[in-house]
Amino acid sequence: MDQSETKRGREQSRHATARPNEKRSPAHPLAPERLDKMDAYWRASNYLSIGQIYLQDNPLLEEPLKLEHIKPRLLGHWGTTTGLNFIYVHLNRLIVEHDLDMIYVMGPGHGGPGPVAQSYLEGSYTERYPSIERNRNGMQRLFRQFSWPYGIPSHVSPETPGSIHEGGELGYSLVHAYGAAFDNPDLIVACVIGDGEAETGPLAASWHSNKFLNPRSDGAVLPILHLNGFKIANPTVLARISREELTGLLRGYGYEPQFVEGDDPPLVHQALAAALDGALADIRAIQASARGLAAGETPERPRWPMIVLKTPKGWTGPKFVDGLPVEGTWRAHQVPLEGFDNPEHLAQLQEWMLSYRPRELFDEHGKFRDDYAEIAPTGHRRMSANPHANGGELLVPLSMPHFRDYAVKLAEPGAVMAEATRVLGHFLRDVIKFNLDSRNFRLFGPDETASNRLEAVYEVTGKVWMAEVEAVDMNLRADGRVMEVLSEHLCQGWLEGYLLTGRHGFFSCYEAFIHVVDSMVNQHAKWLKTTRQIEWRRPIASLNYLLTSHVWQQDHNGFSHQDPGFIDHIAKKKADVARIYLPPDANCLLAVADHCLRSMNYINLIVAGKAPEWQWLDVDAAERHCAEGAGVWDWAGNCADDPEVVMACCGDVPTLETLAAVTLLRDYAPDLRVRVVNVVDLMALQPQSVHPHGLGDRDFDALFSSDLPVIFAFHGYQGIIHQLTYNRANHDNFHVRGYREEGTTTTPFDMVVLNNLDRYQLAFDAIRRVPRLSGEVDAAEARYWASMQRHKLYVSEHGQDMPEVRDWRWSAA
């Protein structure tokens, strides 16, 4: 393609249209000088973005481009970047003119060159990375490090100042933005939603977050739907439906959209400026109205403003490459120019970069010229330096009640029954109560707070709700601290945004359905892992999960509700991030929850049942046990010092079945020497060299021995126990029982029978694994099958478990 073809493409007709609120915003709010400076700022950010994708040398194009100036591997995404830069520059204008507290969430996080360029122009990048100076040499380092080994990723990663949202996995920008806005009344979160991202399920649900945003006490979210028309290789749905249909969709979600469309920069500058002025005026009017109400009055749910910006994909980039259209097509998505052994491509890249007139933008030393730089915000008003985007800087520790005050009183093991999560609910109630004034703690869950026995929290707060309320509704309050919505995606995303901006939270969920957010927790784990290596990223509060209504208590709902696999998912994360706790009773649950709420920079997974269960440890013993992570229960065995078999357990129901098996063994093999070990911190099973909570080899062997059979009853899939212990001296003697994907609608005890985790199986395992008892194995096996037959006949006829199971309770030897 010759250059004249390129010029003809650039001279194609251009247009811009806008539908801002005409009454409150002039049609052309930018004075000529302001428009020129904003356009220059945009050109500078585009130039820096292209340089990051393509160049390793000659950053200011002070000599003709040569092949050696080009990176050998071209990685990045150009198509969305220029739109991200355009919006950023306009938000800066709004911040300066109105002294706004604003952060920027970019759904198309693969447009990483844009926010890196913006933070470099604002100076915050150099403040965080002094070697990236604001001159020629610094610019070269900025370019070279992008998508380079041991440099920075191509996405909006934690290394990018001002970012709380990586964006590599699409669908979570808007929900993160709302999480950031909750309890931040002065903050505006500008959220760019890519039209490809808008096709995802989580994003489609995220629009409903506005029904949970209280204009009196929360900040505001300004969604900006960026329609550039294409994904990697296909058009986007929202760009190919009519304006009328799109307007109806967005209004149906509760927004008032303002449309800005065009490809002629001066006209689109004016149109977007007018739309933003109108949106800000609407936000301020909504908040003023809500905040002017008398105490006790509930604000009405407003129709929040949003903007739909339609610009070409790869705007201002090459129109054609090798005769094929690029700008405004899917070909602009990633790297629009490649193959620089072709001299025409090299010349075209140079023409493209020079079209931004870099010599007007940067002085002879490579520094951004002051007359353009001065239009950006300064200090913490820079979106790349806003402390809300480095939430650890704002983190205030929770005011915590004493967990011991909520303990189950226990004279001896197995003396009383309690619902562990109901006990925890009273503790969480007062965590909320103690932090009502600071408004830095929320409880999240998908419509299951009461089902999970945490309803004591409603004594001091309610569920956030800004939509209509009917007479039958309970505990709905505009200023509540409980976030319930039937979407695990929204609960997870809200909580992540809340944590990343410096607050605390707790997420309770049915165990089987937490898998809905597997991929989201992957991204958060990666974020935490990376931020640990970035000195300026301050630690944030931990992501705390309580999984209840678990696999062994889902006999009534059946197979669809039975899955303990989230344990495996978290266990595979980096050891400096992952923490997994399976408290065996209510007092251990209190101790673990208290620890998790005080912790930072972890993903804490707690698995505990909600059904009435026997309680084992008083609060003093529970605190010691949880601090150690695993321990011998001397009171449960008959020979802790010289055992023949170790009966180990992890999880509340496995603990119950193990202790019941111990009582059976007293009758089956009265002289069998048994040690009972309970594990509450699953990661204690790993070596200390692998996980910070891991037991040293001597301590591990002191619990499990170096050569004795270990009958291990585990809450989840048995394979994870073998993975965690594979390099222990006694690993080959671990005989694990756990969940085997056998389930149905049945009785509670039949669930453990179906998976061979029941007391009869565990007792039989112990006998057949002790060499001294080899002569009794046949009789033990016959007894086991007789017990199974008795059980099956009874549950089939009576629909409930045998009295010897239902009425079982612990008795000391």
Side-chain angles (χ1 to χ4, degrees):
M1 182 189 69
D2 60 25
Q3 292 187 2
S4 62
E5 184 177 3
T6 303
K7 292 177 181 178
R8 284 197 303 272
R10 294 194 183 279
E11 291 168 357
Q12 289 175 350
S13 63
R14 299 174 179 272
H15 62 280
T17 60
R19 288 173 173 80
N21 190 321
E22 296 294 345
K23 294 181 180 179
R24 282 173 283 185
S25 296
H28 294 81
L30 301 178
E33 182 181 0
R34 171 65 63 177
L35 174 59
D36 289 344
K37 288 186 176 182
M38 289 177 63
D39 191 69
Y41 206 107
W42 179 49
R43 286 188 282 116
S45 56
N46 289 339
Y47 180 85
L48 293 174
S49 299
I50 301 165
Q52 290 176 74
I53 295 173
Y54 283 99
L55 299 187
Q56 62 177 335
D57 200 357
N58 192 17
L60 290 170
L61 299 185
E62 294 170 299
E63 59 176 294
L65 268 183
K66 301 175 183 176
L67 188 59
E68 56 264 32
H69 299 152
I70 310 297
K71 293 179 178 179
R73 298 171 67 241
L74 299 176
L75 304 168
H77 296 74
W78 164 249
T80 190
T81 298
T82 184
L84 293 175
N85 284 333
F86 194 80
I87 295 166
Y88 197 105
V89 172
H90 277 263
L91 294 174
N92 274 350
R93 194 266 305 183
L94 218 59
I95 293 169
V96 170
E97 290 187 3
H98 300 277
D99 191 30
L100 300 181
D101 191 6
M102 179 179 281
I103 61 174
Y104 192 45
V105 172
M106 291 148 283
H110 46 270
V116 171
Q118 298 294 344
S119 60
Y120 179 73
L121 292 173
E122 291 178 344
S124 57
Y125 205 91
T126 302
E127 292 166 15
R128 298 300 191 186
Y129 307 102
S131 65
I132 310 295
E133 304 159 299
R134 302 175 78 182
N135 56 30
R136 178 188 295 101
N137 291 335
M139 190 185 297
Q140 181 175 350
R141 294 190 186 99
L142 182 81
F143 290 177
R144 185 180 174 87
Q145 69 171 359
F146 180 81
S147 285
W148 192 270
Y150 307 105
I152 63 171
S154 65
H155 289 75
V156 187
S157 62
E159 291 91 342
T160 307
S163 172
I164 65 166
H165 174 81
E166 205 267 0
E169 182 176 341
L170 300 177
Y172 314 128
S173 60
L174 191 56
V175 70
H176 282 160
Y178 275 98
F182 294 141
D183 296 319
N184 264 329
D186 299 323
L187 184 67
I188 298 178
V189 186
C191 178
V192 183
I193 301 149
D195 48 357
E197 179 186 28
E199 297 175 10
T200 65
L203 198 288
S206 296
W207 294 110
H208 290 300
S209 298
N210 58 11
K211 285 81 173 175
F212 300 85
L213 190 76
N214 187 337
R216 169 181 275 171
S217 55
D218 296 330
V221 174
L222 178 59
I224 303 171
L225 176 59
H226 187 204
L227 296 181
N228 60 30
F230 294 90
K231 305 184 285 285
I232 294 175
N234 287 289
T236 58
V237 171
L238 295 187
R240 295 294 181 91
I241 62 177
S242 69
R243 173 71 59 82
E244 180 183 13
E245 186 176 356
L246 181 57
T247 301
L249 176 69
L250 297 174
R251 283 186 57 83
Y253 278 131
Y255 297 89
E256 190 61 56
Q258 301 185 67
F259 288 82
V260 176
E261 179 177 355
D263 62 359
D264 186 349
L267 296 180
V268 184
H269 276 301
Q270 293 286 8
L272 182 58
L276 285 170
D277 285 344
L280 179 61
D282 289 343
I283 288 171
R284 287 187 157 175
I286 289 168
Q287 292 178 335
S289 175
R291 295 170 189 183
L293 294 174
E297 290 188 85
T298 299
E300 293 184 3
R301 179 169 67 90
R303 184 176 292 280
W304 291 94
M306 66 167 293
I307 291 171
V308 180
L309 174 65
K310 187 172 184 179
T311 58
K313 188 138 185 138
W315 191 19
T316 74
K319 296 288 185 185
F320 296 89
V321 176
D322 296 332
L324 297 174
V326 174
E327 186 191 81
T329 78
W330 54 268
R331 294 186 180 90
H333 182 76
Q334 290 179 295
V335 182
L337 270 171
E338 295 183 274
F340 290 104
D341 51 346
N342 181 341
E344 290 187 11
H345 288 189
L346 197 63
Q348 194 170 1
L349 175 61
Q350 178 169 293
E351 179 193 3
W352 175 20
M353 296 191 71
L354 288 176
S355 72
Y356 299 106
R357 307 194 297 279
R359 289 177 180 80
E360 296 178 9
L361 306 172
F362 303 96
D363 66 19
E364 65 275 14
H365 303 295
K367 183 177 180 293
F368 191 40
R369 294 187 185 276
D370 291 340
D371 51 343
Y372 300 134
E374 68 182 8
I375 70 170
T378 59
H380 284 166
R381 285 296 188 247
R382 296 171 294 176
M383 291 188 287
S384 61
N386 191 304
H388 291 289
N390 188 15
E393 293 183 344
L394 303 175
L395 186 66
V396 176
L398 287 173
S399 296
M400 294 286 288
H402 297 294
F403 75 88
R404 289 168 158 269
D405 295 343
Y406 308 85
V408 176
K409 301 296 187 290
L410 196 64
E412 60 183 14
V416 299
M417 297 190 86
E419 297 163 289
T421 58
R422 192 180 299 279
V423 174
L424 179 67
H426 291 89
F427 174 68
L428 291 175
R429 173 200 63 200
D430 289 349
V431 174
I432 292 174
K433 179 180 178 180
F434 285 19
N435 294 277
L436 281 175
D437 291 339
S438 55
R439 298 186 66 83
N440 67 340
F441 177 80
R442 293 198 184 206
L443 181 65
F444 299 79
D447 194 34
E448 295 159 359
T449 304
S451 175
N452 290 337
R453 310 291 192 265
L454 303 177
E455 67 268 33
V457 299
Y458 298 137
E459 296 171 19
V460 296
T461 190
K463 294 174 279 191
V464 179
W465 189 254
M466 292 297 300
E468 294 181 3
V469 177
E470 298 182 358
V472 297
D473 298 326
M474 295 180 62
N475 302 313
L476 300 183
R477 291 172 50 177
D479 63 347
R481 312 304 300 157
V482 178
M483 307 294 295
E484 279 200 351
V485 63
L486 196 53
S487 166
E488 288 82 0
H489 282 127
L490 292 194
C491 292
Q492 174 80 20
W494 287 342
L495 177 53
E496 288 179 2
Y498 202 64
L499 298 177
L500 288 163
T501 47
R503 280 74 63 75
H504 306 257
F506 197 81
F507 184 176
S508 75
C509 185
Y510 281 15
E511 181 183 53
F513 303 127
I514 195 64
H515 280 295
V516 171
V517 301
D518 275 3
S519 196
M520 295 182 77
V521 74
N522 284 349
Q523 298 300 320
H524 192 73
K526 293 174 188 295
W527 183 278
L528 292 178
K529 184 261 185 185
T530 302
T531 56
R532 285 177 172 270
Q533 302 160 5
I534 302 172
E535 185 177 355
W536 57 268
R537 284 281 183 186
R538 309 310 304 153
I540 62 173
S542 295
L543 174 56
N544 300 309
Y545 292 103
L546 169 66
L547 302 190
T548 187
S549 298
H550 61 55
V551 59
W552 306 112
Q553 295 173 353
Q554 280 295 341
D555 47 279
H556 56 296
N557 279 323
F559 195 39
S560 66
H561 283 53
Q562 299 162 3
D563 188 337
F566 198 68
I567 292 172
D568 301 60
H569 189 61
I570 298 300
K572 291 179 172 64
K573 305 306 169 194
K574 295 293 290 187
D576 56 0
V577 169
R579 303 289 184 271
I580 304 173
Y581 304 96
L582 292 99
D585 64 5
N587 288 338
C588 288
L589 176 58
L590 286 170
V592 165
D594 178 79
H595 169 75
C596 292
L597 286 172
R598 296 176 187 273
S599 69
M600 293 188 293
N601 265 20
Y602 297 136
I603 295 174
N604 293 315
L605 172 58
I606 307 169
V607 183
K610 67 181 185 182
E613 296 284 359
W614 293 111
Q615 303 299 297
W616 309 116
L617 302 181
D618 64 35
V619 70
D620 292 330
E623 186 174 18
R624 289 193 302 270
H625 182 50
C626 293
E628 293 168 356
V632 175
W633 283 4
D634 291 335
W635 54 267
N638 61 5
C639 189
D641 294 333
D642 185 26
E644 293 175 280
V645 65
V646 177
M647 302 294 288
C649 46
C650 183
D652 48 12
V653 170
T655 297
L656 170 69
E657 292 305 308
T658 294
L659 294 178
V662 169
T663 61
L664 291 174
L665 287 170
R666 294 175 192 165
D667 295 330
Y668 297 167
D671 61 342
L672 179 63
R673 303 191 304 276
V674 177
R675 174 192 291 167
V676 175
V677 174
N678 182 266
V679 177
V680 63
D681 182 345
L682 185 65
M683 309 316 286
L685 297 178
Q686 284 195 304
Q688 203 166 48
S689 59
V690 176
H691 195 282
H693 288 192
L695 293 169
D697 286 338
R698 292 181 62 182
D699 292 331
F700 185 90
D701 291 346
L703 292 179
F704 298 102
S705 83
S706 59
D707 56 0
L708 295 177
V710 178
I711 311 303
F712 201 119
F714 179 53
H715 174 90
Y717 294 102
Q718 54 264 52
I720 193 65
I721 300 300
H722 291 297
Q723 291 177 39
L724 296 175
T725 61
Y726 77 95
N727 57 358
R728 298 292 193 175
N730 200 29
H731 171 254
D732 289 342
N733 285 320
F734 269 64
H735 308 287
V736 184
R737 296 289 181 179
Y739 184 63
R740 305 188 311 165
E741 286 289 322
E742 295 294 338
T744 184
T745 300
T746 185
T747 68
F749 184 67
D750 194 48
M751 265 300 297
V752 292
V753 169
L754 289 171
N755 290 277
N756 291 132
L757 185 63
D758 61 275
R759 59 199 66 183
Y760 302 106
Q761 178 69 68
L762 297 174
F764 176 41
D765 285 346
I767 290 172
R768 67 176 177 163
R769 298 295 180 183
V770 175
R772 180 176 62 82
L773 300 178
S774 59
E776 302 180 27
V777 170
D778 290 344
E781 183 174 10
R783 183 170 53 232
Y784 167 73
W785 285 115
S787 299
M788 290 297 97
Q789 184 179 30
R790 188 171 73 253
H791 157 72
K792 291 293 185 183
L793 290 173
Y794 191 92
V795 297
S796 297
E797 181 175 352
H798 298 281
Q800 61 178 338
D801 290 320
M802 299 183 295
E804 67 189 75
V805 172
R806 296 199 320 270
D807 301 335
W808 179 90
R809 62 179 301 173
W810 173 258
S811 60

